[in-house]
Amino acid sequence: MRQQRKEEIMAILYANTRDASEKVTASQAILNGLAKHGGLYVPTEIPKLDIPVEELAKMSYQETAYAVMSRFLTDFTEEELKNCIDRAYDSKFDTPEIAPLVEADGAYYLELFHGATIAFKDMALSILPHLLITAARKNEVKEDIVILTATSGDTGKAALAGFADVEGTKIIVFYPKNGVSPIQEKQMVTQKGDNTFVVGIHGNFDQAQTGVKQMFSDPEMKAELLQAGYRFSSANSINIGRLVPQIVYYVYAYAKMYANGRIAAGEPINVVVPTGNFGNILAAFYAKNMGLPIAKLICASNENKVLYDFFRTGEYDRNREFILTSSPSMDILISSNLERLIYRIAGENAEENAKLMAALSTDGKYTITDEMKAQLENFYGNYTTEKETAEVISALYEKTGYVIDTHTAVAAGVYGKYKAETKDETKTVIASTASPFKFTRSVMDAIDEKYDSMTDFELVDELSKIANVKVPQAIEDIRSAAVLHKTVCEVDEMPNIVKEFLEIR
Ligand SMILES: *Cc1c(COP(=O)(O)O)cnc(C)c1O
């Protein structure tokens, strides 16, 4: 039976959202990261999840990961993919469940923060390095891969943790010296691993990002690297190798709810996703298209509510003030992965999509047609204010003792609004994207203003006490860890710093 099903799996290719002439294999899409002309790779077809829920319910996280990912990454062998999965979802996670589901106040919180850096980026970045190395081997890339990353906080650490000590790779992370939180900086500069390198720059995140992009597109530097046996690659969230692993946990959550008797087989659920770059909710959309019974995809924004406005009006407009909020990983005005949805509702028309993306880059906005908008009926968008977010954290804690982080609270707040508006009682999964220990100060301030005067680590211990949750290892690790990375440079020194680290010249 199993064998037969396996033979039915067909090859999935990846198309460029901006150029209909480009189609590549899964491994090439992962290796390239970005497609030509700034396009993104999308699967030419969403494979069906042809496994009954009774069977899914018996699977471990790793088995679910194989069931889902093997249907997308069709040029990976069974052995290759299982090897990647086993190396990624191991004891780096502090629970064998990998992504536990916690019921609180009538909703199901899918905790995606049990990995090495206690944010949901670990779900994809713990496997991406292995996918990338496997893809390099398959495509006979001889050079070592050098990952260059600019970060505003979370991605840098998750990428460092993922690539640390992975043979055949080096990773260099640039962060704005005065632009990340103290906990985020400490997490990065204490990173172990001979192949890791962390550099603070005298500049902001945009300058770090621009510096990195310039190195990517510098032909001279590319040639020098090649000579020394290296090539650049990217770990940022537009890589399809980050999106596919994220589909897994929606399938896993559904199977868990069935196994626990919370839903009947085939019963639809809703999902709520705190959204920034639109990667996580797009993964839920792909899960739905695989056949997972998801009814509503509820897109939650903070005060940077460009997506809420888009779902309401059909106009995407980034021309607005950038607001710094207590959910910084969602402070974003250009949600890159939305392009993959736009391409799809444009009838997989690369030319149409490219026009809209060109308008976004020149005018900062675009409007979709009514026909396209009609295809968004399963999406619901809303947002919470800073005040509402804090109230959600405190109210949930008072009622249940369960403490959620600021990003998850945005989602919970939007779910409250959705329910009040629609009276929809469908069982609902809320993607819980960060541990409250990562945003301790905002979380504790929301619960009681008396915590105002405490230091960051005092707050950590207090949170552990009131939530009755052990302090995560990721936080314990940085309490006393030695600072291993002390390099700070000017923006224009970035290329030289990279060459020094790689011992070129
Ligand atoms: C990155 C991130 C998000 C946003 O996810 P997207 O896939 O970019 O929409 C939400 N919460 C946390 C904690 C994050 O780190």
Side-chain angles (χ1 to χ4, degrees):
M1 227 6 233
R2 222 170 233 285
Q3 196 54 34
Q4 197 179 348
R5 190 177 293 135
K6 202 161 167 350
E7 278 160 18
E8 283 163 13
I9 292 175
M10 59 189 148
I12 305 269
L13 289 177
Y14 289 79
N16 180 339
T17 55
R18 299 190 193 179
D19 181 348
S21 71
E22 190 186 1
K23 283 197 179 56
V24 299
T25 62
S27 67
Q28 285 164 343
I30 289 170
L31 206 51
N32 295 350
L34 205 60
K36 286 183 196 142
H37 318 300
L40 304 181
Y41 289 115
V42 286
T44 45
E45 191 164 337
I46 305 290
K48 287 286 166 249
L49 186 68
D50 48 1
I51 306 174
V53 66
E54 293 81 1
E55 207 173 309
L56 287 170
K58 292 183 208 136
M59 290 187 186
S60 66
Y61 191 87
Q62 294 80 355
E63 288 164 341
T64 314
Y66 181 74
V68 172
M69 292 176 66
S70 61
R71 283 164 170 73
F72 281 93
L73 309 182
T74 51
D75 69 329
F76 284 65
T77 66
E78 176 169 353
E79 192 192 351
E80 284 169 341
L81 191 53
K82 285 190 168 163
N83 193 27
C84 291
I85 289 168
D86 288 344
R87 285 161 178 252
Y89 304 112
D90 61 8
S91 59
K92 289 190 289 299
F93 286 77
D94 66 12
T95 162
E97 287 183 281
I98 307 293
L101 203 55
V102 174
E103 194 174 349
D105 195 26
Y108 297 84
Y109 288 84
L110 179 61
E111 294 189 347
L112 303 173
F113 55 76
H114 288 272
T117 77
I118 59 175
F120 101 99
K121 302 287 192 292
D122 291 326
M123 300 304 295
L125 278 166
S126 53
I127 193 164
L128 181 69
H130 305 291
L131 296 175
L132 202 55
I133 285 300
T134 309
R137 253 185 250 126
K138 294 182 88 65
N139 291 278
E140 292 178 11
V141 171
K142 299 281 184 297
E143 299 82 27
D144 276 10
I145 292 173
V146 179
I147 302 292
L148 283 189
T149 304
T151 185
S152 59
D154 280 349
T155 297
K157 178 61 188 184
L160 283 164
F163 281 94
D165 293 324
V166 173
E167 216 174 299
T169 72
K170 292 190 189 297
I171 174 161
I172 307 174
V173 170
F174 293 96
Y175 72 95
K177 178 70 188 152
N178 298 315
V180 298
S181 83
I183 295 222
Q184 284 174 321
E185 180 173 38
K186 190 100 194 268
Q187 276 191 312
M188 288 190 280
V189 297
T190 56
Q191 177 65 48
K192 292 181 190 144
D194 286 342
N195 67 334
T196 68
F197 195 48
V198 180
V199 185
I201 64 154
H202 287 136
N204 61 28
F205 169 67
D206 279 339
Q207 289 170 299
Q209 173 120 349
T210 305
V212 163
K213 280 192 184 154
Q214 276 168 357
M215 284 188 267
F216 267 117
S217 52
D218 179 349
E220 244 173 73
M221 192 151 183
K222 189 175 173 180
E224 281 177 78
L225 249 75
L226 216 52
Q227 187 104 55
Y230 295 115
R231 68 184 259 164
F232 285 141
S233 190
S234 151
N236 59 26
S237 74
I238 39 89
N239 194 317
I240 194 78
R242 276 186 63 178
L243 205 52
V244 170
Q246 293 181 357
I247 302 168
V248 174
Y249 47 74
Y250 291 105
V251 174
Y252 183 69
Y254 188 88
K256 268 280 162 64
M257 286 176 73
Y258 171 77
N260 296 339
R262 296 298 189 266
I263 50 171
E267 182 178 334
I269 60 166
N270 295 331
V271 300
V272 192
V273 185
T275 298
N277 224 0
F278 210 75
N280 202 357
I281 193 163
L282 189 72
F285 176 70
Y286 283 170
K288 177 176 169 65
N289 282 280
M290 287 186 88
L292 196 72
I294 294 176
K296 284 284 177 202
L297 297 147
I298 300 174
C299 176
S301 300
N302 64 23
E303 289 180 5
N304 295 293
K305 58 182 181 59
V306 61
L307 287 166
Y308 164 65
D309 293 336
F310 169 70
F311 283 118
R312 216 162 28 98
T313 65
E315 182 189 57
Y316 192 92
D317 186 359
R318 60 155 301 195
N319 300 303
R320 60 182 74 203
E321 194 195 341
F322 184 97
I323 302 167
L324 292 173
T325 73
S326 59
S327 45
S329 304
M330 295 159 67
D331 290 345
I332 191 159
L333 293 179
I334 301 183
S335 299
S336 314
N337 278 300
L338 184 65
E339 176 169 349
R340 290 183 159 115
L341 181 64
I342 297 294
Y343 170 80
R344 187 176 165 110
I345 61 175
E348 314 214 316
N349 183 330
E351 210 177 318
E352 243 355 89
N353 173 67
K355 265 190 226 155
L356 294 174
M357 295 307 133
L360 180 63
S361 118
T362 51
D363 313 329
K365 60 182 177 181
Y366 60 80
T367 306
I368 59 172
T369 64
D370 289 342
E371 206 187 354
M372 289 165 77
K373 191 160 184 283
Q375 296 174 63
L376 297 176
E377 60 180 2
N378 294 317
F379 284 90
Y380 169 93
N382 214 327
Y383 75 105
T384 59
T385 63
E386 285 293 275
K387 188 160 168 283
E388 287 166 340
T389 304
E391 282 164 3
V392 166
I393 293 172
S394 130
L396 186 64
Y397 171 66
E398 292 301 331
K399 192 165 175 188
T400 67
Y402 186 54
V403 181
I404 55 175
D405 100 291
T406 45
H407 303 75
T408 309
V410 168
V414 164
Y415 177 50
K417 290 183 184 188
Y418 170 79
K419 245 168 91 162
E421 226 171 79
T422 62
K423 312 279 183 265
D424 182 2
E425 291 293 330
T426 304
K427 306 247 172 41
T428 296
V429 168
I430 296 177
S432 181
T433 51
S435 158
F437 286 93
K438 196 153 192 175
F439 300 93
T440 324
R441 185 161 299 278
S442 302
V443 168
M444 295 303 274
D445 276 352
I447 288 173
D448 198 323
E449 54 191 37
K450 77 179 177 203
Y451 296 122
D452 226 22
S453 57
M454 289 190 183
T455 68
D456 287 331
F457 281 109
E458 282 169 353
L459 285 176
V460 161
D461 292 328
E462 192 65 20
L463 172 56
S464 171
K465 230 184 282 166
I466 68 158
N468 198 19
V469 174
K470 205 166 144 263
V471 176
Q473 194 56 37
I475 298 288
E476 290 296 0
D477 283 350
I478 59 169
R479 226 192 260 264
S480 56
V483 172
L484 301 173
H485 304 272
K486 292 177 184 164
T487 308
V488 178
C489 76
E490 302 303 322
V491 175
D492 60 5
E493 291 171 335
M494 288 167 63
N496 282 336
I497 290 277
V498 168
K499 288 185 208 171
E500 258 172 52
F501 177 59
L502 298 176
E503 296 177 355
I504 296 176
R505 269 181 303 174

